[in-house]
Amino acid sequence: MSPKYFWVERLMAFRPRLWISTHGALLPLGLALLLLTAMFTPGFLSAPNLLSLVNTASVIGCVAVAMMLITISGNVLSFALGVTTGCSAMMFAWLTGYESGLLATVGALVFSTVVTGFQGLLIGLFRANPIIVSIAALGLMTGAAELISQGSMIYASGSQLQGLNDTFWSVPASGWVLLALVLLADFILRFTRFGRNIVMLGSNMTAAKAAGISLWRTTVGVYALAGLFSGIAGILLAARYNAGSLEYGIGYDYSAIAAVLVGGTFIGGGEGTALRTLAGLVVITGAGAILLLHGVSTEYQFLFTGLVLLVAVLVQGR
Amino acid sequence: MMPVIEARNISKNFGRFQALRNVSFSAAPGEVHALCGENGAGKSTLVKILTGVLQPDDGQTLIGGEVHGIADTQHAQALKIGYVSQELSIAPHLSVLDNVWLGCRGVPLLHRRNELRERARRALNLVGLAHLSLERRAGTLALGEQQLVEIARMMVRDVAVLFLDEPTATLSDREIECVFSAIRELRRNGKTMIYISHRLGEVMDLCDRVTILRNGENVISTDVADISRGKLVEHMLGRSLSEMYPQAGGMSSVGALEIRGLMVPGKIRGLDFAVPRGKILCLAGQMGSGATEAVRALAGLVHDATGSVVLDGMPLKLGSVHTLLERNMRFVSEDRAGEGLFLNLSVEENFAATQFDVVRRFGLLLPAPVRELAERLADIVTVNPDRLRSRCGDLSGGNQQKIAIGRCITPGSGILLMNEPTRGVDVGARAEIYALMRQLCDQGYAVVMTSTDLEEVVGLADMVLTMYRGARVSLYGRDEISASRILLDITHPLTYENAA
């Protein structure tokens, strides 16, 4: 045996036994660990902590569901959803100046839907690489928003937003919004033709084409939907801070990707559900909160999320 | 004599499909060893294992009498195992010299160019390309010469064992003779060659020993001198032909698919044919004949195809899959994993994939109607209904193919377009698929298919249209079909000049 290949052969022999066979194993493991550590973390199960946790998680959750739709459709991920969220928050805050909550809401949602749907058009029609398109959109939107706002924050006027900060049955409105979006996304994916087309496109693009599914229509649709969900996240943010800023969206795509992956969505597309993404979100944000309560600084939280991402994507390796 | 390369009790599964079951194989130094078997018998899987592309699930590989794993293709090169694939892998813009050294792991960054030239020259002389300039661009060579350059590439690597995967599939007679003399010359130099081919004549002429696989199992391994050609066929097929193929029905030709002037730039140069309902038309041709492309063009998957298609007296637009679906013209791809099915989705979902409109209630896809449709189709194509919830990729190739066909069955009868309907399908399922195709024809379907499996063409088709390099050679009706005529047409088209 040639010495150069000695270790290669050893590794090959061990690989099947060493590997976790299904990436679905990560989610129950994460939830169990979370529950265990939560019980031994003083203050975690207190009402104020849980309330603020739901508030944070619901915004990330909306972006995560949007991200999951893009992942399932076979377009891996988007780097532009965070900035879309920030821009929609700004749009919403700006439009509240016209004293109409409806105008502000519709305006912000139309903006995010059109901007993201247009990316879908580029990807679906011209077969542009989805990741590069999202990076370009990130740059364009950041630049444009900075130019227009002169880098300053936009304050919302009016009291139309108050309803979004109330709690219903002791859960904040944003939590209910997230739950509704999760159910809506799963409903679309399971019970509508459009949703099945998304899954089939992500599962096997060539076969989808041969089966007569319109690539560009489905891609535009899935991106528009993702944009809509990101826009909703932006409105929730603007309502919470009573203002809109580009900074709000920063880092949201990062956590969203982590939630999607921990939730067992296959990064290659064609597999995944919003409910599992929600569970992944609980693991990611819950773990972050626990670290925070133990006095671990933000830097370490980033390290932690990075590590979780790495594990999640390695487990998916085939 | 000690075998240079040996496989002992190799098994390999893909999902639930057993590609190899306890297969053994050995080749002695200096012999040309034929590896024969039908499509899907496991030949290429065995070759991939012996060249390090795949790892066996069970069993051992032996090199020079010692148990020795083959980690990857680089490792195989280090072990002096070479492989020339069926598809040419020449870099057309590089010179012959560069092509000969391409991918060789023994060339240091700082090398002596003259030495490389000399060694390339020797390798080219060995394979009978002494006349060739080293500076010539490889893309300007004839196909046969390119094949020989690939063999020379293995020679500079000083391989002891060389796998040749259907080296003559796309070559002309004269080119084939050149490859043969190169192989004989290499045998004189003590190289071992494993020759994979469907062409039994070549096996009888050229090879010393033959190993036959069938459905992933060893059938026989013997000296070529000890076996007759008829016996060889019998071992490969493992059955008599008459049991395999259902009788053609007497469906009258009501309605028809008519194709006129079908062209695909660089692939098909004007093709006319018509299929009546109830008949199976087979386009027969080798790789590069345009047969596969013709079916793909009809399926709307070739964007630059032109020509007129008339279905039931109404013109049909080429290039739109959607229109085809509306007119009940469906395509079953030869590449199930890549183009045909959604392997990580459920069987149920795959059945419904092209018929969502049929099962929609109130604009929604509710589970019950989808399941109902899937159960009905599963019943027609004889897929076990208990498996509707399984992941499609876990089913055997035969079952997957039945699903791909079932997906095409619509309330009204239509047109079925199929490329290689039984590629990678075991014999049992094969007979079921043939019966299914015949059954659909009796219900008024018309089938346009391609196949490179000659037995299948002869046994199944009602009409055979032979093709050579993008044009039709001739058309045979049921009574005129014979294997030898088809083979002649697709390999040595005497009528080619007249037809073109």
Side-chain angles (χ1 to χ4, degrees), chain B residues 248-256 274-282 414-416 437-438 440-449 460-463 477-478:
Chain B
M251 184 85 187
S252 63
S253 39
V254 189
V275 206
R277 289 196 180 277
K279 299 281 185 213
I280 298 175
L281 169 72
C282 183
I415 308 286
L416 207 52
M437 289 168 70
R438 187 52 73 191
L440 289 173
C441 278
D442 291 344
Q443 288 167 15
Y445 270 81
V447 177
V448 181
M449 61 172 265
L460 187 64
D462 298 313
M463 302 152 74
R478 178 75 229 172

PDB file of all heavy atoms in Angstrom, chain B residues 248-256 274-282 414-416 437-438 440-449 460-463 477-478:
ATOM      1  N   ALA B 248     -47.950  -7.593 -30.787  1.00  0.00           N
ATOM      2  CA  ALA B 248     -48.523  -6.321 -31.209  1.00  0.00           C
ATOM      3  C   ALA B 248     -50.001  -6.511 -31.512  1.00  0.00           C
ATOM      4  O   ALA B 248     -50.399  -7.520 -32.077  1.00  0.00           O
ATOM      5  CB  ALA B 248     -47.807  -5.805 -32.442  1.00  0.00           C
ATOM      6  N   GLY B 249     -50.821  -5.550 -31.115  1.00  0.00           N
ATOM      7  CA  GLY B 249     -52.252  -5.611 -31.379  1.00  0.00           C
ATOM      8  C   GLY B 249     -52.559  -5.134 -32.782  1.00  0.00           C
ATOM      9  O   GLY B 249     -51.702  -4.671 -33.507  1.00  0.00           O
ATOM     10  N   GLY B 250     -53.803  -5.214 -33.174  1.00  0.00           N
ATOM     11  CA  GLY B 250     -54.184  -4.823 -34.528  1.00  0.00           C
ATOM     12  C   GLY B 250     -54.893  -3.490 -34.577  1.00  0.00           C
ATOM     13  O   GLY B 250     -55.834  -3.318 -35.319  1.00  0.00           O
ATOM     14  N   MET B 251     -54.486  -2.542 -33.738  1.00  0.00           N
ATOM     15  CA  MET B 251     -55.122  -1.234 -33.678  1.00  0.00           C
ATOM     16  C   MET B 251     -55.038  -0.539 -35.036  1.00  0.00           C
ATOM     17  O   MET B 251     -53.984  -0.438 -35.626  1.00  0.00           O
ATOM     18  CB  MET B 251     -54.400  -0.401 -32.626  1.00  0.00           C
ATOM     19  CG  MET B 251     -55.000   0.948 -32.387  1.00  0.00           C
ATOM     20  SD  MET B 251     -56.326   0.862 -31.196  1.00  0.00           S
ATOM     21  CE  MET B 251     -56.923   2.540 -31.306  1.00  0.00           C
ATOM     22  N   SER B 252     -56.175  -0.068 -35.489  1.00  0.00           N
ATOM     23  CA  SER B 252     -56.148   0.617 -36.778  1.00  0.00           C
ATOM     24  C   SER B 252     -55.540   2.007 -36.601  1.00  0.00           C
ATOM     25  O   SER B 252     -55.524   2.554 -35.508  1.00  0.00           O
ATOM     26  CB  SER B 252     -57.562   0.760 -37.326  1.00  0.00           C
ATOM     27  OG  SER B 252     -58.315   1.571 -36.448  1.00  0.00           O
ATOM     28  N   SER B 253     -55.051   2.554 -37.691  1.00  0.00           N
ATOM     29  CA  SER B 253     -54.334   3.819 -37.582  1.00  0.00           C
ATOM     30  C   SER B 253     -55.290   5.014 -37.588  1.00  0.00           C
ATOM     31  O   SER B 253     -55.491   5.661 -38.603  1.00  0.00           O
ATOM     32  CB  SER B 253     -53.314   3.950 -38.702  1.00  0.00           C
ATOM     33  OG  SER B 253     -53.860   3.433 -39.888  1.00  0.00           O
ATOM     34  N   VAL B 254     -55.902   5.274 -36.447  1.00  0.00           N
ATOM     35  CA  VAL B 254     -56.786   6.428 -36.297  1.00  0.00           C
ATOM     36  C   VAL B 254     -55.973   7.586 -35.744  1.00  0.00           C
ATOM     37  O   VAL B 254     -55.342   7.455 -34.705  1.00  0.00           O
ATOM     38  CB  VAL B 254     -57.932   6.126 -35.311  1.00  0.00           C
ATOM     39  CG1 VAL B 254     -58.948   7.257 -35.339  1.00  0.00           C
ATOM     40  CG2 VAL B 254     -58.568   4.800 -35.628  1.00  0.00           C
ATOM     41  N   GLY B 255     -56.000   8.706 -36.429  1.00  0.00           N
ATOM     42  CA  GLY B 255     -55.242   9.858 -35.945  1.00  0.00           C
ATOM     43  C   GLY B 255     -53.763   9.573 -35.984  1.00  0.00           C
ATOM     44  O   GLY B 255     -53.338   8.424 -35.989  1.00  0.00           O
ATOM     45  N   ALA B 256     -52.941  10.589 -36.032  1.00  0.00           N
ATOM     46  CA  ALA B 256     -51.518  10.323 -36.153  1.00  0.00           C
ATOM     47  C   ALA B 256     -50.691  11.538 -35.790  1.00  0.00           C
ATOM     48  O   ALA B 256     -51.176  12.658 -35.788  1.00  0.00           O
ATOM     49  CB  ALA B 256     -51.201   9.886 -37.569  1.00  0.00           C
ATOM     50  N   ALA B 274     -44.110   9.657 -39.637  1.00  0.00           N
ATOM     51  CA  ALA B 274     -45.462   9.714 -39.103  1.00  0.00           C
ATOM     52  C   ALA B 274     -45.715   8.458 -38.292  1.00  0.00           C
ATOM     53  O   ALA B 274     -45.204   7.393 -38.610  1.00  0.00           O
ATOM     54  CB  ALA B 274     -46.476   9.810 -40.243  1.00  0.00           C
ATOM     55  N   VAL B 275     -46.453   8.599 -37.204  1.00  0.00           N
ATOM     56  CA  VAL B 275     -46.799   7.433 -36.376  1.00  0.00           C
ATOM     57  C   VAL B 275     -48.302   7.374 -36.230  1.00  0.00           C
ATOM     58  O   VAL B 275     -48.911   8.330 -35.761  1.00  0.00           O
ATOM     59  CB  VAL B 275     -46.223   7.563 -34.951  1.00  0.00           C
ATOM     60  CG1 VAL B 275     -46.016   6.190 -34.366  1.00  0.00           C
ATOM     61  CG2 VAL B 275     -44.978   8.396 -34.902  1.00  0.00           C
ATOM     62  N   PRO B 276     -48.921   6.267 -36.594  1.00  0.00           N
ATOM     63  CA  PRO B 276     -50.344   6.106 -36.322  1.00  0.00           C
ATOM     64  C   PRO B 276     -50.548   5.728 -34.859  1.00  0.00           C
ATOM     65  O   PRO B 276     -49.634   5.246 -34.192  1.00  0.00           O
ATOM     66  CB  PRO B 276     -50.756   4.967 -37.242  1.00  0.00           C
ATOM     67  CG  PRO B 276     -49.512   4.233 -37.560  1.00  0.00           C
ATOM     68  CD  PRO B 276     -48.360   5.155 -37.362  1.00  0.00           C
ATOM     69  N   ARG B 277     -51.743   5.969 -34.366  1.00  0.00           N
ATOM     70  CA  ARG B 277     -52.047   5.542 -32.996  1.00  0.00           C
ATOM     71  C   ARG B 277     -51.998   4.015 -32.912  1.00  0.00           C
ATOM     72  O   ARG B 277     -52.313   3.332 -33.865  1.00  0.00           O
ATOM     73  CB  ARG B 277     -53.429   6.038 -32.591  1.00  0.00           C
ATOM     74  CG  ARG B 277     -53.444   7.531 -32.388  1.00  0.00           C
ATOM     75  CD  ARG B 277     -54.679   7.969 -31.633  1.00  0.00           C
ATOM     76  NE  ARG B 277     -54.664   9.416 -31.450  1.00  0.00           N
ATOM     77  CZ  ARG B 277     -53.996  10.010 -30.466  1.00  0.00           C
ATOM     78  NH1 ARG B 277     -53.304   9.293 -29.596  1.00  0.00           N
ATOM     79  NH2 ARG B 277     -54.004  11.324 -30.358  1.00  0.00           N
ATOM     80  N   GLY B 278     -51.589   3.546 -31.733  1.00  0.00           N
ATOM     81  CA  GLY B 278     -51.528   2.105 -31.544  1.00  0.00           C
ATOM     82  C   GLY B 278     -50.224   1.489 -31.991  1.00  0.00           C
ATOM     83  O   GLY B 278     -50.072   0.272 -31.969  1.00  0.00           O
ATOM     84  N   LYS B 279     -49.276   2.320 -32.424  1.00  0.00           N
ATOM     85  CA  LYS B 279     -48.007   1.765 -32.908  1.00  0.00           C
ATOM     86  C   LYS B 279     -46.830   2.310 -32.099  1.00  0.00           C
ATOM     87  O   LYS B 279     -46.880   3.424 -31.571  1.00  0.00           O
ATOM     88  CB  LYS B 279     -47.796   2.136 -34.374  1.00  0.00           C
ATOM     89  CG  LYS B 279     -48.852   1.605 -35.306  1.00  0.00           C
ATOM     90  CD  LYS B 279     -48.622   0.147 -35.630  1.00  0.00           C
ATOM     91  CE  LYS B 279     -49.633  -0.317 -36.669  1.00  0.00           C
ATOM     92  NZ  LYS B 279     -50.015  -1.711 -36.489  1.00  0.00           N
ATOM     93  N   ILE B 280     -45.779   1.515 -32.063  1.00  0.00           N
ATOM     94  CA  ILE B 280     -44.528   1.953 -31.446  1.00  0.00           C
ATOM     95  C   ILE B 280     -43.523   2.185 -32.563  1.00  0.00           C
ATOM     96  O   ILE B 280     -43.177   1.250 -33.296  1.00  0.00           O
ATOM     97  CB  ILE B 280     -43.986   0.896 -30.465  1.00  0.00           C
ATOM     98  CG1 ILE B 280     -44.982   0.670 -29.328  1.00  0.00           C
ATOM     99  CG2 ILE B 280     -42.636   1.319 -29.919  1.00  0.00           C
ATOM    100  CD1 ILE B 280     -44.585  -0.438 -28.375  1.00  0.00           C
ATOM    101  N   LEU B 281     -43.086   3.437 -32.694  1.00  0.00           N
ATOM    102  CA  LEU B 281     -42.046   3.743 -33.668  1.00  0.00           C
ATOM    103  C   LEU B 281     -40.739   3.889 -32.913  1.00  0.00           C
ATOM    104  O   LEU B 281     -40.657   4.630 -31.936  1.00  0.00           O
ATOM    105  CB  LEU B 281     -42.349   5.048 -34.408  1.00  0.00           C
ATOM    106  CG  LEU B 281     -41.185   5.591 -35.250  1.00  0.00           C
ATOM    107  CD1 LEU B 281     -40.966   4.736 -36.479  1.00  0.00           C
ATOM    108  CD2 LEU B 281     -41.407   7.033 -35.648  1.00  0.00           C
ATOM    109  N   CYS B 282     -39.725   3.175 -33.367  1.00  0.00           N
ATOM    110  CA  CYS B 282     -38.435   3.287 -32.709  1.00  0.00           C
ATOM    111  C   CYS B 282     -37.441   3.971 -33.637  1.00  0.00           C
ATOM    112  O   CYS B 282     -37.269   3.555 -34.781  1.00  0.00           O
ATOM    113  CB  CYS B 282     -37.926   1.910 -32.306  1.00  0.00           C
ATOM    114  SG  CYS B 282     -36.389   2.037 -31.409  1.00  0.00           S
ATOM    115  N   GLY B 414     -52.825   9.701 -25.557  1.00  0.00           N
ATOM    116  CA  GLY B 414     -51.946  10.721 -26.113  1.00  0.00           C
ATOM    117  C   GLY B 414     -50.764  10.139 -26.840  1.00  0.00           C
ATOM    118  O   GLY B 414     -50.837   9.054 -27.411  1.00  0.00           O
ATOM    119  N   ILE B 415     -49.671  10.890 -26.810  1.00  0.00           N
ATOM    120  CA  ILE B 415     -48.437  10.457 -27.453  1.00  0.00           C
ATOM    121  C   ILE B 415     -47.391  10.297 -26.356  1.00  0.00           C
ATOM    122  O   ILE B 415     -47.272  11.138 -25.476  1.00  0.00           O
ATOM    123  CB  ILE B 415     -47.924  11.515 -28.449  1.00  0.00           C
ATOM    124  CG1 ILE B 415     -49.005  11.924 -29.435  1.00  0.00           C
ATOM    125  CG2 ILE B 415     -46.677  11.013 -29.151  1.00  0.00           C
ATOM    126  CD1 ILE B 415     -49.304  10.906 -30.497  1.00  0.00           C
ATOM    127  N   LEU B 416     -46.677   9.198 -26.419  1.00  0.00           N
ATOM    128  CA  LEU B 416     -45.636   8.943 -25.436  1.00  0.00           C
ATOM    129  C   LEU B 416     -44.282   9.042 -26.142  1.00  0.00           C
ATOM    130  O   LEU B 416     -44.046   8.354 -27.133  1.00  0.00           O
ATOM    131  CB  LEU B 416     -45.833   7.538 -24.870  1.00  0.00           C
ATOM    132  CG  LEU B 416     -45.337   7.240 -23.469  1.00  0.00           C
ATOM    133  CD1 LEU B 416     -45.863   8.249 -22.483  1.00  0.00           C
ATOM    134  CD2 LEU B 416     -45.752   5.844 -23.074  1.00  0.00           C
ATOM    135  N   MET B 437     -46.260  -0.637 -22.237  1.00  0.00           N
ATOM    136  CA  MET B 437     -46.222   0.179 -23.447  1.00  0.00           C
ATOM    137  C   MET B 437     -47.205  -0.365 -24.481  1.00  0.00           C
ATOM    138  O   MET B 437     -47.930   0.386 -25.136  1.00  0.00           O
ATOM    139  CB  MET B 437     -44.797   0.202 -24.026  1.00  0.00           C
ATOM    140  CG  MET B 437     -43.814   1.010 -23.191  1.00  0.00           C
ATOM    141  SD  MET B 437     -42.097   0.754 -23.657  1.00  0.00           S
ATOM    142  CE  MET B 437     -42.062   1.573 -25.239  1.00  0.00           C
ATOM    143  N   ARG B 438     -47.240  -1.687 -24.583  1.00  0.00           N
ATOM    144  CA  ARG B 438     -48.145  -2.305 -25.553  1.00  0.00           C
ATOM    145  C   ARG B 438     -49.597  -2.053 -25.155  1.00  0.00           C
ATOM    146  O   ARG B 438     -50.447  -1.739 -25.982  1.00  0.00           O
ATOM    147  CB  ARG B 438     -47.829  -3.812 -25.621  1.00  0.00           C
ATOM    148  CG  ARG B 438     -48.549  -4.569 -26.683  1.00  0.00           C
ATOM    149  CD  ARG B 438     -48.424  -3.955 -28.052  1.00  0.00           C
ATOM    150  NE  ARG B 438     -47.123  -4.118 -28.659  1.00  0.00           N
ATOM    151  CZ  ARG B 438     -46.736  -3.467 -29.770  1.00  0.00           C
ATOM    152  NH1 ARG B 438     -47.570  -2.620 -30.369  1.00  0.00           N
ATOM    153  NH2 ARG B 438     -45.553  -3.642 -30.278  1.00  0.00           N
ATOM    154  N   LEU B 440     -50.769   0.456 -23.451  1.00  0.00           N
ATOM    155  CA  LEU B 440     -51.122   1.842 -23.746  1.00  0.00           C
ATOM    156  C   LEU B 440     -51.405   2.022 -25.233  1.00  0.00           C
ATOM    157  O   LEU B 440     -52.321   2.741 -25.624  1.00  0.00           O
ATOM    158  CB  LEU B 440     -49.996   2.786 -23.304  1.00  0.00           C
ATOM    159  CG  LEU B 440     -49.831   2.943 -21.796  1.00  0.00           C
ATOM    160  CD1 LEU B 440     -48.598   3.759 -21.465  1.00  0.00           C
ATOM    161  CD2 LEU B 440     -51.067   3.598 -21.203  1.00  0.00           C
ATOM    162  N   CYS B 441     -50.616   1.344 -26.062  1.00  0.00           N
ATOM    163  CA  CYS B 441     -50.835   1.422 -27.502  1.00  0.00           C
ATOM    164  C   CYS B 441     -52.211   0.884 -27.869  1.00  0.00           C
ATOM    165  O   CYS B 441     -52.911   1.452 -28.697  1.00  0.00           O
ATOM    166  CB  CYS B 441     -49.770   0.632 -28.249  1.00  0.00           C
ATOM    167  SG  CYS B 441     -48.279   1.572 -28.452  1.00  0.00           S
ATOM    168  N   ASP B 442     -52.576  -0.220 -27.224  1.00  0.00           N
ATOM    169  CA  ASP B 442     -53.886  -0.802 -27.516  1.00  0.00           C
ATOM    170  C   ASP B 442     -55.013   0.141 -27.111  1.00  0.00           C
ATOM    171  O   ASP B 442     -56.120   0.063 -27.634  1.00  0.00           O
ATOM    172  CB  ASP B 442     -54.041  -2.150 -26.799  1.00  0.00           C
ATOM    173  CG  ASP B 442     -53.116  -3.200 -27.389  1.00  0.00           C
ATOM    174  OD1 ASP B 442     -52.616  -2.958 -28.513  1.00  0.00           O
ATOM    175  OD2 ASP B 442     -52.860  -4.219 -26.738  1.00  0.00           O
ATOM    176  N   GLN B 443     -54.719   1.036 -26.147  1.00  0.00           N
ATOM    177  CA  GLN B 443     -55.736   2.011 -25.751  1.00  0.00           C
ATOM    178  C   GLN B 443     -55.724   3.242 -26.638  1.00  0.00           C
ATOM    179  O   GLN B 443     -56.441   4.203 -26.380  1.00  0.00           O
ATOM    180  CB  GLN B 443     -55.500   2.453 -24.309  1.00  0.00           C
ATOM    181  CG  GLN B 443     -55.847   1.387 -23.290  1.00  0.00           C
ATOM    182  CD  GLN B 443     -55.306   1.731 -21.923  1.00  0.00           C
ATOM    183  OE1 GLN B 443     -54.918   2.869 -21.669  1.00  0.00           O
ATOM    184  NE2 GLN B 443     -55.252   0.750 -21.042  1.00  0.00           N
ATOM    185  N   GLY B 444     -54.853   3.259 -27.631  1.00  0.00           N
ATOM    186  CA  GLY B 444     -54.868   4.384 -28.556  1.00  0.00           C
ATOM    187  C   GLY B 444     -53.689   5.331 -28.443  1.00  0.00           C
ATOM    188  O   GLY B 444     -53.680   6.377 -29.074  1.00  0.00           O
ATOM    189  N   TYR B 445     -52.722   4.989 -27.622  1.00  0.00           N
ATOM    190  CA  TYR B 445     -51.509   5.804 -27.555  1.00  0.00           C
ATOM    191  C   TYR B 445     -50.634   5.525 -28.779  1.00  0.00           C
ATOM    192  O   TYR B 445     -50.712   4.453 -29.383  1.00  0.00           O
ATOM    193  CB  TYR B 445     -50.693   5.455 -26.314  1.00  0.00           C
ATOM    194  CG  TYR B 445     -51.043   6.261 -25.100  1.00  0.00           C
ATOM    195  CD1 TYR B 445     -52.141   5.936 -24.324  1.00  0.00           C
ATOM    196  CD2 TYR B 445     -50.260   7.349 -24.730  1.00  0.00           C
ATOM    197  CE1 TYR B 445     -52.463   6.676 -23.204  1.00  0.00           C
ATOM    198  CE2 TYR B 445     -50.573   8.097 -23.612  1.00  0.00           C
ATOM    199  CZ  TYR B 445     -51.672   7.759 -22.858  1.00  0.00           C
ATOM    200  OH  TYR B 445     -51.987   8.492 -21.757  1.00  0.00           O
ATOM    201  N   ALA B 446     -49.816   6.508 -29.129  1.00  0.00           N
ATOM    202  CA  ALA B 446     -48.729   6.252 -30.071  1.00  0.00           C
ATOM    203  C   ALA B 446     -47.434   6.486 -29.328  1.00  0.00           C
ATOM    204  O   ALA B 446     -47.353   7.369 -28.484  1.00  0.00           O
ATOM    205  CB  ALA B 446     -48.833   7.186 -31.263  1.00  0.00           C
ATOM    206  N   VAL B 447     -46.434   5.662 -29.591  1.00  0.00           N
ATOM    207  CA  VAL B 447     -45.167   5.777 -28.881  1.00  0.00           C
ATOM    208  C   VAL B 447     -44.050   6.079 -29.881  1.00  0.00           C
ATOM    209  O   VAL B 447     -43.941   5.412 -30.910  1.00  0.00           O
ATOM    210  CB  VAL B 447     -44.834   4.477 -28.115  1.00  0.00           C
ATOM    211  CG1 VAL B 447     -43.481   4.596 -27.439  1.00  0.00           C
ATOM    212  CG2 VAL B 447     -45.918   4.159 -27.101  1.00  0.00           C
ATOM    213  N   VAL B 448     -43.272   7.108 -29.584  1.00  0.00           N
ATOM    214  CA  VAL B 448     -42.035   7.353 -30.330  1.00  0.00           C
ATOM    215  C   VAL B 448     -40.898   7.151 -29.352  1.00  0.00           C
ATOM    216  O   VAL B 448     -40.835   7.814 -28.326  1.00  0.00           O
ATOM    217  CB  VAL B 448     -41.976   8.793 -30.893  1.00  0.00           C
ATOM    218  CG1 VAL B 448     -40.687   8.997 -31.669  1.00  0.00           C
ATOM    219  CG2 VAL B 448     -43.182   9.062 -31.756  1.00  0.00           C
ATOM    220  N   MET B 449     -40.021   6.203 -29.640  1.00  0.00           N
ATOM    221  CA  MET B 449     -38.949   5.912 -28.693  1.00  0.00           C
ATOM    222  C   MET B 449     -37.608   5.779 -29.398  1.00  0.00           C
ATOM    223  O   MET B 449     -37.537   5.629 -30.618  1.00  0.00           O
ATOM    224  CB  MET B 449     -39.260   4.627 -27.932  1.00  0.00           C
ATOM    225  CG  MET B 449     -39.389   3.404 -28.825  1.00  0.00           C
ATOM    226  SD  MET B 449     -39.535   1.878 -27.891  1.00  0.00           S
ATOM    227  CE  MET B 449     -37.839   1.317 -27.842  1.00  0.00           C
ATOM    228  N   LEU B 460     -39.606  -5.056 -29.802  1.00  0.00           N
ATOM    229  CA  LEU B 460     -40.697  -4.211 -29.335  1.00  0.00           C
ATOM    230  C   LEU B 460     -41.355  -3.387 -30.433  1.00  0.00           C
ATOM    231  O   LEU B 460     -42.571  -3.200 -30.438  1.00  0.00           O
ATOM    232  CB  LEU B 460     -40.158  -3.279 -28.238  1.00  0.00           C
ATOM    233  CG  LEU B 460     -41.168  -2.427 -27.487  1.00  0.00           C
ATOM    234  CD1 LEU B 460     -42.123  -3.322 -26.706  1.00  0.00           C
ATOM    235  CD2 LEU B 460     -40.439  -1.501 -26.524  1.00  0.00           C
ATOM    236  N   ALA B 461     -40.551  -2.864 -31.357  1.00  0.00           N
ATOM    237  CA  ALA B 461     -41.067  -1.823 -32.246  1.00  0.00           C
ATOM    238  C   ALA B 461     -41.987  -2.372 -33.332  1.00  0.00           C
ATOM    239  O   ALA B 461     -41.828  -3.497 -33.791  1.00  0.00           O
ATOM    240  CB  ALA B 461     -39.907  -1.076 -32.885  1.00  0.00           C
ATOM    241  N   ASP B 462     -42.978  -1.559 -33.720  1.00  0.00           N
ATOM    242  CA  ASP B 462     -43.803  -1.872 -34.872  1.00  0.00           C
ATOM    243  C   ASP B 462     -43.177  -1.307 -36.137  1.00  0.00           C
ATOM    244  O   ASP B 462     -43.372  -1.819 -37.224  1.00  0.00           O
ATOM    245  CB  ASP B 462     -45.198  -1.266 -34.714  1.00  0.00           C
ATOM    246  CG  ASP B 462     -45.906  -1.842 -33.517  1.00  0.00           C
ATOM    247  OD1 ASP B 462     -45.892  -3.080 -33.364  1.00  0.00           O
ATOM    248  OD2 ASP B 462     -46.448  -1.064 -32.716  1.00  0.00           O
ATOM    249  N   MET B 463     -42.500  -0.182 -35.961  1.00  0.00           N
ATOM    250  CA  MET B 463     -41.818   0.453 -37.081  1.00  0.00           C
ATOM    251  C   MET B 463     -40.454   0.887 -36.572  1.00  0.00           C
ATOM    252  O   MET B 463     -40.329   1.332 -35.436  1.00  0.00           O
ATOM    253  CB  MET B 463     -42.579   1.705 -37.546  1.00  0.00           C
ATOM    254  CG  MET B 463     -44.008   1.437 -37.971  1.00  0.00           C
ATOM    255  SD  MET B 463     -45.012   2.909 -37.692  1.00  0.00           S
ATOM    256  CE  MET B 463     -44.453   3.936 -39.025  1.00  0.00           C
ATOM    257  N   GLY B 477     -41.158  -1.612 -41.693  1.00  0.00           N
ATOM    258  CA  GLY B 477     -42.416  -2.014 -41.077  1.00  0.00           C
ATOM    259  C   GLY B 477     -42.179  -3.269 -40.246  1.00  0.00           C
ATOM    260  O   GLY B 477     -41.103  -3.869 -40.295  1.00  0.00           O
ATOM    261  N   ARG B 478     -43.188  -3.682 -39.488  1.00  0.00           N
ATOM    262  CA  ARG B 478     -43.081  -4.804 -38.561  1.00  0.00           C
ATOM    263  C   ARG B 478     -42.426  -6.047 -39.192  1.00  0.00           C
ATOM    264  O   ARG B 478     -41.573  -6.677 -38.606  1.00  0.00           O
ATOM    265  CB  ARG B 478     -44.487  -5.146 -38.052  1.00  0.00           C
ATOM    266  CG  ARG B 478     -44.599  -6.314 -37.113  1.00  0.00           C
ATOM    267  CD  ARG B 478     -44.095  -5.979 -35.730  1.00  0.00           C
ATOM    268  NE  ARG B 478     -43.174  -7.004 -35.284  1.00  0.00           N
ATOM    269  CZ  ARG B 478     -42.448  -6.938 -34.180  1.00  0.00           C
ATOM    270  NH1 ARG B 478     -42.516  -5.883 -33.403  1.00  0.00           N
ATOM    271  NH2 ARG B 478     -41.648  -7.900 -33.836  1.00  0.00           N
TER     272      ARG B 478
END
